[in-house]
Amino acid sequence: MIGSDQLREVLSAVGQLLEAEGKTVRIVIVGGASLNLAGLVDRATDDVDVIARAKEDEGGPMLIPPDPMPDALMAAVQRVARDFGLPSGWLNTAVANQWETSLPPSLKENLTWHRFGGLQVGVAGRWPLIALKLLAAVDQGPPERPLPGSGPIEPNRGGT
């Protein structure tokens, strides 16, 4: 598990390694790590979910699929995993399969960028995160029991 404080520490370590190599990499993250960096929660997460990379375009950053990740980034991530005792997949692109269907339409416009040396991290805003959570829930199929608050809607008979 990666706590909020350790998250910043390991991203900074990756960024320092990239900077020492003269490299800059821009990634976009979602999930628990993005909630932590946005200051919306303060809890541990299993991993850092990379949904995209960004490259400069005439109109600003353009999002591209994260795979393949740059070699310099992967080398830095592996070294940080070793140095901090993290699992090898602590930063991964498992969520990148979202590119096969579609990304939330407001993802690019709802990014807040954080710089950690040579690593720039785009943190998804609330609306794209909500959209991704809903898509993940739908992908799992119907729940075995009703979700709280998903029962029939009773008409308001109170006159207000």
Side-chain angles (χ1 to χ4, degrees):
M1 296 297 274
I2 305 168
S4 293
D5 291 335
Q6 187 184 29
L7 176 63
R8 292 179 185 282
E9 189 178 1
V10 297
L11 292 175
S12 292
V14 169
Q16 289 171 3
L17 292 169
L18 288 169
E19 199 168 51
E21 295 285 324
K23 305 283 186 185
T24 299
V25 177
R26 299 177 84 182
I27 60 173
V28 176
I29 66 169
V30 296
S34 66
L35 292 170
N36 277 323
L37 286 180
L40 297 173
V41 299
D42 185 12
R43 64 176 179 235
T45 185
D46 290 326
D47 59 3
V48 176
D49 300 309
V50 179
I51 195 166
R53 288 190 297 127
K55 67 177 189 174
E56 278 304 314
D57 193 32
E58 295 170 3
M62 181 175 87
L63 300 185
I64 59 173
D67 291 320
M69 296 285 261
D71 290 340
L73 174 61
M74 293 314 299
V77 166
Q78 289 169 358
R79 180 167 170 192
V80 167
R82 183 196 70 209
D83 292 351
F84 286 82
L86 298 172
S88 61
W90 74 270
L91 187 140
N92 65 73
T93 60
V95 72
N97 64 0
Q98 194 59 49
W99 281 83
E100 294 173 15
T101 53
S102 71
L103 296 177
S106 61
L107 179 62
K108 181 180 171 185
E109 294 77 21
N110 282 283
L111 293 175
T112 303
W113 290 94
H114 299 258
R115 180 182 290 274
F116 299 94
L119 180 65
Q120 295 179 26
V121 178
V123 175
R126 290 180 189 205
W127 293 116
L129 291 175
I130 291 168
L132 287 167
K133 278 293 179 192
L134 289 172
L135 289 168
V138 168
D139 287 346
Q140 293 176 10
E144 292 184 20
R145 57 190 169 112
L147 298 172
S150 65
I153 299 173
E154 298 295 328
N156 181 355
R157 300 197 194 280
T160 56

